[in-house]
Amino acid sequence: MELLVASAIGVLTAGGIYLMLRLRTFPVILGISLLTYAVNVFLFASGRLAIGGPPILRDGVEFYSDPLPQALVLTAIVISFGMTAVVVMIALGAYLGADDDRVDDPAETERGDAT
Amino acid sequence: MSLFLIVALPFLGALLPGLMNSAGRQACAGLTFTVSLTAFIGLLTNLPSVLAGEVVTARVDWIPSLGLNFTLMLDGLGFFFAFLILGIGLLIIAYARSYLSRDDNMGEFFTYLLLFQGAMVGIVLSDNILLLLVFWELTSLSSFLLIGYWKHLPEGRQGARMALTVTGMGGLAMIGGMLILGQIAGSYDLSVILQNRELIQADPLYVPALLLILLGCFTKSAQFPFHFWLPHAMAAPTPVSAYLHSATMVKAGIFLMARMWPVLSGTPEWFVIVTTAGLITMFIGAVIALFKHDLKALLAFSTVSHLGLITMLLGTGTTFGAMAAVFHILNHATFKAALFMSAGIVDHEAHTRDIRRLGGLRHLMPITFVIATLAALSMAGIPLLNGFLSKEMMLEEATHTALFGAWWLVPALATLGSLFSAAYCFRLIGHTFLGPVRDDYPTKPHDPGAGMWLPPAILVMLVVVIGVAPFLVQDFVFLVAKSVIGGVGELEVKYIKIWHGLVPALFMSIAAVVGGLLLMAIFTPLLRMWDAAPRPEAKTIFEAIIAAVVALAERLIYGLHNGAFSRYGAIMAITVIGAGYYAWVTGTVGPTTREMQPMTPMAVAGWIMLVAATLGMVFLHRNRLMSLILIGIAGLMVSVGFVFFSAPDLAMTQITVEVVTIILLLLALNFLPNQTPVESTVMRRTRDAAIAVAGGLAAMGLAWHFLLREAVTTPISEFHLANSYKGGGGTNVVNVILVDFRGFDTYGEIIVLGIAALLIYALTETLLSGPVRARLLNRKPDQPRAGDMHPTMMVVLTRVIMPVVLMVGFYIFLRGHNEPGGGFIAGLVVSIAVVMQYMASGFGWASARLRYPYHGIIGAGVLIAGLTGIGSWFVAKPFLTSDFTYVRIPPFQEFELATAALFDLGVFLAVVGAVMLSLESFSRLARRAHVKDSEHPMDIDPSRDDTQPAVVKEGV
């Protein structure tokens, strides 16, 4: 089971990084979203995996999953929505303003002797 | 008066002139004067204790863990400087009232002045060196504002920038030096550091600390080779020059050298560096001053020269030198402030400060003539004026100082410096006031009103009184000198005398004055020689250095930062992977301590779906709608994973966030192209894939590693599990952590969420009010629209389902404390319900039924959460302490009432407001000119009897 989760984190990360390196805003945003999943699951998994032990206190139950990473990830999920929304808005504004959704600055605005 | 109040008064007072600006110039100046006077009187109330030899202290712990405490100390030295700062400050304020013209914004000026005054007083009263550094930087900043006060003058701006660059750089160096010093002494309190002379001087880090601190002092006090900024700062209004360059700003470096004197002085390093720098500065400053034609420039270089003199005296490391330095600080402050003010008067009345255009003013401005002449003669070192006394002491000290093994070097340079000093003083008097009256002044000069000449006159009175009767200030000077010296040595002199007998210093003095007169006699040919001689121009060198540094920074930055964001992403990913790899191979890896749990077919199925969706996104990402569907699958699988691994709250949050995110992305995709074109080369894609695979493997390896091992130390989660019910009154531990244990975090998060939503709103407004608006309104959709955009079935369904969804949301909210749920999830659920109304019935219909604006809902949420937190203050508990109780209201069962529920309500409202404001902003972009917002929920409504169709159908 651990292998499944670890490899899922790996696949999400790899997909996220690949899409993040694309040249248009939309795939980059999706890539960041994938990375968000990866990071959230990663953080969540730092509480170790527990099946059948939600952290809802019950009489006579002694086995609970770690609640702290869950609380942290819960706010992270909500915040990541806010972040995605802002990034999408910025991307949209840039596209509507310039009719161009490339993430890289065009070459002629480069300065210095960068090649 | 408490020391805190003395330091705080100018800062508090700084708020007033700006506010009172409309009340008139008189009110502004009067208010500033009153504030300074109050602080001054407050300082004087501490005089008896200081005279009694006590050290007045005041202490408040600020950040004790960093050793940064708000500790103030008033001893002789601190009192002396505070007295100068506030006393001369009062005169400057009175003078500035008359000096500034009607066009100058007086409130702004006095605000800056008081800020600066407060920072200076803070420096001299600080007992903690970190606090001192804070005030030190504040003086750099506030002096920048003052020097650049006349923003319309390019020289003013350049001078201000130069001053800030030089003194700011020195301040940075000094931070380093002070930190080293504090580390050596084990405390950042001056009172402790000053007791540890042997310890500090024996430390191997003594020399670096000394160099760094001296760098700070030398830049601030304009010592060679950093002397060049001071003359350029003369572009400031004259009151600023008079204040900054006689008694305050440039004396801060001197003050610090005096303050640190017991700890740092006495070593060969200190002696050589400080004495040499002082000597060179004194000599160069005096020579350059002689050939300056601008009165203020002349005075600026003479200030440089005199600061060098004081520095040299501190550098010798003898108690006599320290005493002479203190005395000269006092004398210099009096005559130099008077001279600057006189120069300002001349400038103000004659409309020029150029010595070549002046002359003969003694007939036209007799009062100014007397003031300036007495002050200048004092500066030249003429007997019966105070400058003579301290200059004699300096020469006396010079005869006992041998630098680099040459006994003659210091006396010779000191005499030469005095000689040039006498010469420029004579030139100042001779070329400005003496000689025939001219008829080509820019305006006819005359003496100003008393408001302008009285402040310098008071100072000149002091010049004469101290010069004639030095015994009046003798005890005070000795007291200050003793507090400079600390426990290092004893002061040997007992009296300050005018006549010492026929000592070498007297002959040196005579030589200087006679030589000065001779120089004046041959000034015209001398000036010709000076003008012909090649000289390095400090400003050019400074600007060249700045340009070189900027060029270097540009090469570095633009080399890396070329505008290609995908490149930054790649570099960052590689760096993180590299750092992780390094940590992995250099760290130790413990044995596995956890058993692997068996895989279930269900889990494998979920995994396959997740991986398939992710890979699908990678390969099909050019079809944007497809990738949106695939990311939905990935998000769904993540939610399912959360349920599977015992995190119901996370699952509910994830799935609801997923819904709103997809709606948001769909709204955005409405405007963006539907396809991503192929642009990158195969090479590039291979490279990206390699980086991605490496990153994925790294993340997987790390996760795999910790999943099979127990935590290195005991996790704090046990505490939360044990106290959730007892302390927080809830059985859903995750929710209790959110609203109780870590409520402050959550509070921050909802604020961030609210800010994000407002940012989106603001960006939308900007777009809609700019040139984009027209394009948006006339945009042709790139895909065919459905004929029936708001179908009846959907409208009816969402309408029916709405109360049910709201009830579910309410239920989820209420049970959140004990079962999976809570404010976040309930907020998202309710948002989805509202969004459904928008989607089904149209923007116009839904907006018309919106009673409260979403901004208000966000604000109400944050406010409710904040007030809940503040509520605990009323029962003397820290912010956000929660409480709960169980009540029973028949016919209900016993139930719980918790303040945390109120906090959760705030979270709920903030989430609803933020999500709705974001989505609403996006959909506002979608409205177009030729498609009217329909007030009807349905496009086709059989029950509506209207002849015209509600919506103009638009083609493809």
Side-chain angles (χ1 to χ4, degrees), chain B residues 215-240:
Chain B
L215 202 58
C217 294
F218 283 3
T219 47
K220 200 81 157 183
S221 284
Q223 295 298 299
F224 179 83
F226 307 108
H227 60 285
F228 54 87
W229 70 263
L230 197 148
H232 290 287
M234 287 299 142
T238 303
V240 173

Side-chain angles (χ1 to χ4, degrees), chain A residues 73-85:
Chain A
V73 170
L74 197 151
T75 47
I77 293 171
V78 180
I79 288 287
S80 68
F81 163 74
M83 187 209 69
T84 309

Side-chain angles (χ1 to χ4, degrees), chain A residues 1-2 4 7 22 24 37 48-50 52-53 55 57 66 70 75 79 96 101-105 111, chain B residues 558 562-563 565-566 597-598 607 624 645-646 650 658 671 679 688 692 706 709 711 717 731 733 749 775 818:
Chain A
M1 203 63 89
E2 273 76 4
L4 288 183
S7 56
R22 296 305 90 208
R24 299 288 179 137
Y37 292 145
R48 309 301 186 273
L49 302 180
L57 300 179
D66 192 341
Q70 296 190 16
T75 47
I79 288 287
L96 292 173
D101 64 344
R102 272 175 252 262
V103 289
D104 291 355
D105 283 350
R111 292 167 65 184
Chain B
Y558 291 132
N562 62 351
F565 287 82
S566 54
Q597 300 174 53
W607 183 87
R624 292 181 172 182
F645 293 112
S646 316
L650 284 191
E658 207 53 47
F671 303 96
E679 282 174 324
D688 291 349
F706 73 60
R709 285 162 182 80
S717 312
T731 52
V733 187
E749 314 246 17
R775 283 184 48 199
N818 294 315

Side-chain angles (χ1 to χ4, degrees), chain B residues 290 380 418-428 512 515-517 519-520:
Chain B
L290 179 59
S418 307
L419 191 151
F420 275 95
S421 178
Y424 66 68
C425 293
F426 296 146
R427 176 165 183 240
L428 175 79
L517 286 171
L519 275 189
M520 278 319 292

Side-chain angles (χ1 to χ4, degrees), chain B residues 487-533:
Chain B
V488 176
E490 284 298 317
L491 200 58
E492 279 129 25
V493 277
K494 297 278 175 280
Y495 305 104
I496 297 178
K497 290 184 292 190
I498 302 174
W499 177 253
H500 293 273
L502 296 171
V503 289
L506 184 70
F507 294 113
M508 288 154 80
S509 245
I510 295 172
V513 173
V514 173
L517 286 171
L518 284 177
L519 275 189
M520 278 319 292
I522 56 163
F523 182 73
T524 319
L526 214 55
L527 180 64
R528 218 173 294 132
M529 269 168 60
W530 173 262
D531 285 340

Side-chain angles (χ1 to χ4, degrees), chain B residues 13-29 31-32 105-107 111:
Chain B
L15 299 170
L16 297 176
L19 294 176
M20 295 292 288
N21 216 2
S22 54
R25 299 154 54 81
Q26 196 65 45
C28 237
L31 204 65
T32 313
N105 183 340
M106 202 172 253
T111 296

